[in-house]
Amino acid sequence: MNINSCETHINHALDVFVAEQGKFPIMEVVPKEEKLSTKCSYCEELAIYVVVKE
């Protein structure tokens, strides 16, 4: 499970991940080369973070 998130929705993304997976995720910064094409999973803003499984 990967969740792309903007600054506004990062707390929600972390909460959703923990609720669904039962584990704390790893939060990574979207790689520079993917920043312009990666949208937030909750809105149309560009994603800054990716929440991923360990």
Side-chain angles (χ1 to χ4, degrees), residues 27-46:
M27 186 175 78
E28 299 176 346
V29 176
V30 173
K32 196 175 203 175
E33 60 274 359
E34 294 178 21
K35 268 195 175 167
L36 295 176
S37 63
T38 305
K39 301 275 184 174
C40 176
S41 297
Y42 302 105
C43 68
E44 292 298 311
E45 295 293 318
L46 293 177

Side-chain angles (χ1 to χ4, degrees), residues 43-54:
C43 68
E44 292 298 311
E45 295 293 318
L46 293 177
I48 297 172
Y49 304 106
V50 179
V51 178
V52 297
K53 262 187 186 179
E54 290 185 80

